Amino acid sequence: MQRVRDGELEDLSILYQRYHVMLFAFFIKHTRQKSLSEDLVQEVFLRIMKYRGTYRPGQPFVSWLFSIARNTKNSAHRKHTKGSEFLHAPLHEDDPTKHEGVSTETLPNDELDKKLKTELLYEALELMTPENRQLIVLRRIQHLHYPEIANLLNCEMGALRVRTHRAFTELKSHYQKLLRKHSNELSVF
């Protein structure tokens, strides 16, 4: 990033190769829309080029990158009417987080159980508040460390740990409700 900041824009392609998948995963967890997520990744790299002068040498690049990604996500969210189709979009058939090409009728019981639990977990994630969902995505899906997240969200480590604990508690609550609902629906049959 230091070289890009200093005007060597061809090195932006190296950053793209290293981080575009991570950014796409971040956006797909929020938007649940493949094409929108791809567009947002491109927008992040346009903003990196535009605002490269704001990068400070020695600053953790991933934190700076995700602050741009978060701002990009928030800008896109504001452009959509009330955000209804953005953060709470239903899962699409072409959703890359789903198991591709696997029919539930042909799965062994263990695999079927795992697939259903994974789908319930993603449903629970969608039910969360945007702030808490973002913490879960950054910590568990993007595998950022607490200092990076604290820097990104501009908060103290203690406050971040409390917020993260609350986010996991919310996720667990939604997941357990969905699991009970699903179990009740299956017991009817």
Side-chain angles (χ1 to χ4, degrees):
M1 184 58 210
Q2 178 66 40
R3 291 192 307 266
V4 171
R5 182 180 183 269
D6 294 340
E8 297 178 36
L9 298 181
E10 62 277 356
D11 286 343
L12 189 61
S13 66
I14 296 169
L15 295 175
Y16 180 84
Q17 290 171 1
R18 288 184 186 166
Y19 296 102
H20 78 279
V21 173
M22 182 186 290
L23 287 170
F24 178 79
F26 172 77
F27 288 126
I28 198 75
K29 298 298 181 219
H30 288 284
T31 68
R32 310 301 279 174
Q33 298 176 35
K34 183 179 177 186
S35 62
L36 179 57
S37 297
E38 290 169 346
D39 291 345
L40 292 174
V41 169
Q42 296 302 319
E43 178 64 24
V44 166
F45 282 95
L46 288 172
R47 289 181 181 201
I48 288 173
M49 189 168 52
K50 181 176 180 179
Y51 300 112
R52 66 186 180 274
T54 65
Y55 176 76
R56 293 185 313 265
Q59 177 183 11
F61 174 71
V62 173
S63 297
W64 185 76
L65 175 69
F66 273 98
S67 68
I68 292 173
R70 192 180 72 182
N71 291 338
T72 303
K73 175 185 69 74
N74 292 340
S75 294
H77 182 258
R78 283 190 298 273
K79 288 179 186 175
H80 286 76
T81 56
K82 298 181 185 176
S84 59
E85 62 191 69
F86 185 74
L87 290 178
H88 302 291
L91 289 172
H92 297 292
E93 290 302 315
D94 64 345
D95 183 358
T97 61
K98 291 204 173 241
H99 301 281
E100 295 180 16
V102 178
S103 167
T104 55
E105 291 108 26
T106 61
L107 288 175
N109 283 341
D110 289 344
E111 288 183 47
L112 179 59
D113 189 48
K114 183 178 176 182
K115 180 181 183 344
L116 291 174
K117 286 181 178 179
T118 300
E119 288 178 8
L120 288 178
L121 188 60
Y122 281 117
E123 283 183 50
L125 195 61
E126 289 178 13
L127 295 172
M128 295 179 70
T129 62
E131 297 80 17
N132 284 346
R133 182 183 320 117
Q134 180 178 2
L135 284 172
I136 299 292
V137 168
L138 290 172
R139 180 72 182 129
R140 292 296 181 183
I141 298 172
Q142 297 302 321
H143 306 289
L144 294 183
H145 299 287
Y146 282 112
E148 294 172 312
I149 298 170
N151 185 33
L152 175 66
L153 300 179
N154 196 24
C155 69
E156 298 292 323
M157 287 291 291
L160 176 63
R161 289 186 188 275
V162 169
R163 287 172 59 187
T164 303
H165 175 73
R166 289 180 182 155
F168 279 108
T169 301
E170 181 186 358
L171 178 63
K172 181 179 178 182
S173 173
H174 288 305
Y175 178 77
Q176 288 175 337
K177 286 176 188 174
L178 288 169
L179 193 58
R180 280 192 301 272
K181 179 183 172 189
H182 184 72
S183 296
N184 290 340
E185 288 172 358
L186 287 179
S187 66
V188 171
F189 297 108

